[in-house]
Amino acid sequence: MSSWFTKRAPQGGASVVSRKGYSISREAASEQQQEELSSRRSSSGDAKSPLSPPRSPRVDISNSSSSASTHGSVLPRFHQQVVGSSVRKGGRGKRLVLGLLRWLLLACAGCVTALAVLLLFRGAQSGLQAWMAREGGAGSKQVFDVSNKQLLSFSVCNSMAEQRLAIVSGTILAFELGRVVMLPDLLVDGAEGPDRGRTMPFAQMYDADHFISALAEKGMEVVDPHRAFPKELFTPSYIPEVADPVEELALKHRTTKHLHVECPLHRLPRVYYTGANSRIMWAVLDALQPSKDLAQHVKVMLKELNRQTHHSAYSFLHLPINADWLKACSATVNSTAKNNCRGNVESIDLVLLNFNVPVTEPLYVSADWAKVSPEAAEMAMKKLQVYKVYTSKDFKPQLSGEVEVNALVEYHVAMSAHMFLGNALHPFSAVSIVHRRHRNQWASYYNGGHMPLVDLMPLDQLAWVFTSSSETPHLDYLVRAMVRSALQHRTLRPFCIFSGPTSSPIAQWLAAQGVTLITHTFSWADDLWAMAEPLAAQNERVSPIFGSKAALVDDYMRLELPLIEVLNQHVYVLFTESDVFFHKRIMLSMFSRPDLPELVGMTPDSDVSQGVDGSFMIANLLAMRDSYSELKAFVLSSKDGGLFASQGVGAAGALHAFAQGPSKRAMLSQHFAAKPFQDIDPIAFVVHFKGPKPHNYMDFFRTDRCEPEAYGNACEEGLTRSLCPYIQKWHMLLDDSEDEVGLNLWYACLALYAPHLRGLSRHRLAQH
């Protein structure tokens, strides 16, 4: 009987089985074996000697024992005996067992060979690592073949925090240039120390192996130590001060093998830290973990701090009050922020309580205590006496004398804290704040103003709050356009105070866009409506917010901003109404001190003398939190039903009237609230559809009526002034399959401005 892996051979002829399973002649089998062996050697580097005998072909033994004896000369003697014996005895089971044993022996031999090769490779790799360590200091366990690649080395500068940012910039620069990153040496005493030129290898401060592995996951090759590559191999250069320095470097050094640049800190345009590069930026900051020795020191400090409380939590305060830093800060920051270097230091205890920093938790206070005067240190401790205060002096072993090494240890203590509070102008505080916020950890600063770091690198976003409701689906298109316009500029972090079920379509859409939905109940809604209801019908002629309790509460919701826990860590927030869209990028630095208000800042309203437009508001949450009770009482004592007509409308008018004096309220530029019924603003940052909304303008096209009555002639003014230029950009923010208003209004504008259609009525234009 023929077996499943052979074809029956012709009677009386010698037959063997080919690799494809078909019977072929003995002579042809021998030639085929030689060709296959030659092919295997040429393709896989077979190490067998050319004099080695070819492997024995498999013989068709399915006929009888005579077949085996007749053609036995083809087989080695041992195989002849095995085959003959098994055939004579007719032991099919024995043949199977012997075959399995044969393949098992071959498999074991292969495993032994593979193990030997692996051990040999490991030994060679260990030897190479040892050589690299001898040549260049502490080396990484990862070895890259960079013989055919271009390398980029760079230096770092200034303090520990700024050196971290320099590593971020250098890594992104290498990625853009298509080069392998060479890890730098690090400064020991930063920019302020007397030995600023003294350095240490990267691996003595950070875990080089972890850094290399983490960046490899992002597609970046990093080598360390760099001393394995002599400095003579690198061509020195600088980052040019041009609009696109990366492109300039790429063109100039296209054929340069290895390139070295000076400290790249703050030398790349903001755009190089956005998009896909933002993932590299955060990967670098996350990968900069302390070396083994420093990590042990961090562990000891964390154990002691967590031991002091039953829920293992502590707060961290960075308080730079040494005279040399304050002097350097005042000399380097711009004039508007000069007085903010030590802002709120004298009232630091009140600021901590305002931020709800728990007095039941240990408070670690970080400062350069060796340079802090005894008087300043005593003042700080007196202000913080309500807390259980720890400093670096309370831990053993003491931190080393190297300033930046100590800063690195405290940085990682800060990253593990429950709450962090620092100085917005100090690099240590600024980097800690943005890094913690990226990890969704609580972090803020006590001295107000804004963080200049964010102007240079997009590491943080201004908190932006708006309201929305599931009960107004006809206005959802405005919300979608507004959110899309904000997200395309990447400078705002969106929060929505949402009214209604989160399963509604607009809530689901907002969540999909990365908007944080806030469910908040207005705490005195009944009292507010009781005050407003007697005059609501009369006030509705001025503004539709008085048409219902829900609409009025939605307008006054901005007064509750300081009570919303998720916003607690933000000093300033931007609040907008839902009928605006962002024409340009908005950043907090646009309102830097002294222009930032102590309470609120809004734009003037041309329709109300001395009044404000509440569609765009910068709010100081610290000040609003302090004055919340007084503001509530002020609103409920209104004599005109909450209208505040002489100051604005509704909540905006109430805030403007309450914040009397230029120090508490600020009048922002009208560029932050351009309106369609006014002359076009060529540099508008925000456009506000005050009064008529886009669907109202479409109704006006069709019916010649601008409703409701409170809008007056705003529809006609919009069509004759700036509505259509604004709609040209606004309608592109809408999905035509979901929102037809934008496209229809744009078509109407095209018809309105087409010369051959100008004689038609608005009703006919709407049909076009």
Side-chain angles (χ1 to χ4, degrees), residues 160-168 171 183-184 186 202 205-208 210-212 214-215 281-291 408 411-412 415 431 435 439:
M160 180 278 302
E162 291 167 297
Q163 291 180 56
R164 293 174 75 93
L165 299 180
I167 295 172
V168 169
T171 304
L183 290 180
L186 304 175
F202 181 92
M205 188 175 289
Y206 293 107
D207 186 339
H210 175 77
F211 185 87
I212 292 173
L215 269 292
M281 175 175 66
W282 293 114
V284 171
L285 288 176
D286 287 335
L288 288 171
Q289 296 298 314
S291 64
L408 175 62
Y411 182 87
H412 286 278
M415 290 301 296
V431 176
H435 199 178
R439 294 182 175 183

Side-chain angles (χ1 to χ4, degrees), residues 461 464 466 479-494 574 576 580-586 733:
Q461 298 169 308
W464 163 50
F466 62 95
V479 175
R480 283 192 283 263
M482 176 182 64
V483 170
R484 288 189 179 113
S485 69
L487 295 181
Q488 69 183 4
H489 296 298
R490 302 191 183 98
T491 58
L492 301 177
R493 178 177 298 178
L574 167 65
T576 70
V580 305
F581 78 95
F582 295 91
H583 206 257
K584 294 181 181 179
R585 184 175 67 189
I586 301 295
L733 299 168

Side-chain angles (χ1 to χ4, degrees), residues 458-532:
L459 291 163
D460 195 28
Q461 298 169 308
L462 173 62
W464 163 50
V465 187
F466 62 95
T467 62
S468 182
S469 173
S470 61
E471 298 178 2
T472 54
H474 65 289
L475 298 179
D476 287 351
Y477 74 96
L478 285 170
V479 175
R480 283 192 283 263
M482 176 182 64
V483 170
R484 288 189 179 113
S485 69
L487 295 181
Q488 69 183 4
H489 296 298
R490 302 191 183 98
T491 58
L492 301 177
R493 178 177 298 178
F495 297 86
C496 176
I497 303 176
F498 191 78
S499 174
T502 55
S503 59
S504 62
I506 187 61
Q508 294 290 314
W509 184 89
L510 289 170
Q513 307 308 307
V515 178
T516 300
L517 297 179
I518 300 171
T519 302
H520 180 77
T521 302
F522 195 86
S523 56
W524 40 288
D526 292 338
D527 294 337
L528 177 66
W529 183 243
M531 176 272 297

Side-chain angles (χ1 to χ4, degrees), residues 367-571:
D368 193 353
W369 295 111
K371 299 180 180 179
V372 175
S373 66
E375 296 78 14
E378 182 181 1
M379 182 273 295
M381 292 304 166
K382 186 176 181 180
K383 290 288 184 181
L384 301 173
Q385 60 185 350
V386 68
Y387 292 92
K388 174 62 175 176
V389 174
Y390 285 84
T391 69
S392 58
K393 300 177 182 179
D394 296 317
F395 297 91
K396 294 182 179 180
Q398 294 287 326
L399 295 178
S400 67
E402 286 84 3
V403 175
E404 307 313 328
V405 174
N406 297 348
L408 175 62
V409 172
E410 291 195 319
Y411 182 87
H412 286 278
V413 173
M415 290 301 296
S416 298
H418 171 216
M419 301 177 73
F420 176 91
L421 205 63
N423 187 304
L425 301 179
H426 197 286
F428 180 96
S429 291
V431 176
S432 300
I433 290 170
V434 298
H435 199 178
R436 284 178 59 91
R437 285 183 176 177
H438 177 71
R439 294 182 175 183
N440 293 320
Q441 296 173 282
W442 196 100
S444 192
Y445 48 93
Y446 58 78
N447 58 324
H450 81 289
M451 290 187 293
L453 171 62
V454 181
D455 298 339
L456 302 170
M457 301 174 70
L459 291 163
D460 195 28
Q461 298 169 308
L462 173 62
W464 163 50
V465 187
F466 62 95
T467 62
S468 182
S469 173
S470 61
E471 298 178 2
T472 54
H474 65 289
L475 298 179
D476 287 351
Y477 74 96
L478 285 170
V479 175
R480 283 192 283 263
M482 176 182 64
V483 170
R484 288 189 179 113
S485 69
L487 295 181
Q488 69 183 4
H489 296 298
R490 302 191 183 98
T491 58
L492 301 177
R493 178 177 298 178
F495 297 86
C496 176
I497 303 176
F498 191 78
S499 174
T502 55
S503 59
S504 62
I506 187 61
Q508 294 290 314
W509 184 89
L510 289 170
Q513 307 308 307
V515 178
T516 300
L517 297 179
I518 300 171
T519 302
H520 180 77
T521 302
F522 195 86
S523 56
W524 40 288
D526 292 338
D527 294 337
L528 177 66
W529 183 243
M531 176 272 297
E533 188 177 18
L535 298 175
Q538 176 182 332
N539 290 338
E540 188 179 3
R541 300 174 184 175
V542 179
S543 174
I545 67 171
F546 294 93
S548 66
K549 177 182 177 181
L552 186 65
V553 168
D554 184 69
D555 181 72
Y556 271 86
M557 186 66 75
R558 69 193 74 187
L559 273 59
E560 298 275 280
L561 290 176
L563 303 185
I564 298 175
E565 185 175 358
V566 72
L567 301 176
N568 182 39
Q569 63 182 310
H570 299 282
V571 179

Side-chain angles (χ1 to χ4, degrees), residues 32-102:
Q32 179 173 314
Q33 282 182 314
Q34 294 293 339
E35 291 176 359
E36 290 180 352
L37 181 60
S38 176
S39 175
R40 286 198 301 271
R41 285 176 177 170
S42 62
S43 62
S44 60
D46 197 333
K48 291 174 69 72
S49 168
L51 300 179
S52 301
R55 296 179 182 176
S56 301
R58 188 175 296 162
V59 179
D60 189 335
I61 58 175
S62 58
N63 287 335
S64 63
S65 60
S66 61
S67 175
S69 61
T70 304
H71 309 299
S73 59
V74 180
L75 304 175
R77 183 178 302 275
F78 172 76
H79 197 65
Q80 291 182 39
Q81 294 174 355
V82 171
V83 172
S85 174
S86 61
V87 172
R88 284 192 300 271
K89 294 180 180 180
R92 183 176 180 181
K94 291 184 178 180
R95 293 200 306 272
L96 181 60
V97 171
L98 290 173
L100 290 175
L101 288 174
R102 177 172 176 267

Side-chain angles (χ1 to χ4, degrees), residues 16 31 87 98 105 139 240 278 300 312 319 324 352 440 480 482 486 525 606 627:
V16 295
E31 293 179 4
V87 172
L98 290 173
L105 289 173
S278 66
V300 170
S312 299
L319 195 66
D324 55 347
L352 291 174
N440 293 320
R480 283 192 283 263
M482 176 182 64
S606 58
S627 56

